[in-house]
Amino acid sequence: MDSKLTTHVLDLSKGLPAKGMKIELWAIAEQGDHSFIKEVCTNKDGRVDVPLLQGDDLKPGEYELVFYVGEYFNDGANDPNIRPFLNKVPLRFGIRSNEEHYHVPLLVAPGGYSTYRGS
């Protein structure tokens, strides 16, 4: 099995992949310190073009994906002075093994979201 961390985002309000959503990946130390790893953007399929982590870069530990759903849903079409209900959606999760595929999907709408460990 190819060890990697991947994600994708589906916009439930449109029934389509969430194209153009900014996502940040952070490592979380045992003391709670955050270390920025990378920023990516979803493609037309709501996925990122390459795995977030793979191979030797995928290490056991705690991580956080931050999805910029407020920017995605507000993309200039709405009043920029109105704060969206969901702004940044942080998903904190653990990686136990560097020999597995971890997939973290986000299903999102303006008023809520859901996630699970995918395959």
Side-chain angles (χ1 to χ4, degrees), residues 42-64:
T42 57
N43 62 24
K44 66 179 179 154
D45 295 320
R47 299 179 181 276
V48 295
D49 293 326
V50 296
L52 297 166
L53 296 172
Q54 64 182 2
D56 293 338
D57 291 331
L58 182 68
K59 296 177 177 27
E62 191 170 2
Y63 294 87
E64 185 172 81

Side-chain angles (χ1 to χ4, degrees), residues 16-31:
L16 297 170
K19 176 185 173 188
M21 184 180 293
K22 181 170 84 171
I23 304 168
E24 293 177 346
L25 174 63
W26 297 79
I28 311 298
E30 286 186 29
Q31 321 77 299

Side-chain angles (χ1 to χ4, degrees), residues 19 24 28-29 49 51-52 66 68 70 73-74 80 85 87 89 94 118:
K19 176 185 173 188
E24 293 177 346
I28 311 298
D49 293 326
L52 297 166
V66 180
Y68 282 70
F73 284 115
N74 198 23
F85 176 67
N87 188 18
V89 172

Side-chain angles (χ1 to χ4, degrees), residues 13 69 73 84-86 108-113:
S13 67
V69 300
F73 284 115
F85 176 67
L86 294 174
V108 67
Y113 66 92

Side-chain angles (χ1 to χ4, degrees), residues 57-101:
D57 291 331
L58 182 68
K59 296 177 177 27
E62 191 170 2
Y63 294 87
E64 185 172 81
L65 287 169
V66 180
F67 297 85
Y68 282 70
V69 300
E71 287 181 10
Y72 169 79
F73 284 115
N74 198 23
D75 72 1
N78 298 315
D79 184 341
N81 298 315
I82 298 174
R83 180 178 294 274
F85 176 67
L86 294 174
N87 188 18
K88 297 175 188 172
V89 172
L91 298 179
R92 193 173 286 193
F93 58 94
I95 290 180
R96 283 190 303 191
S97 170
N98 61 353
E99 298 179 5
E100 295 182 40
H101 178 190

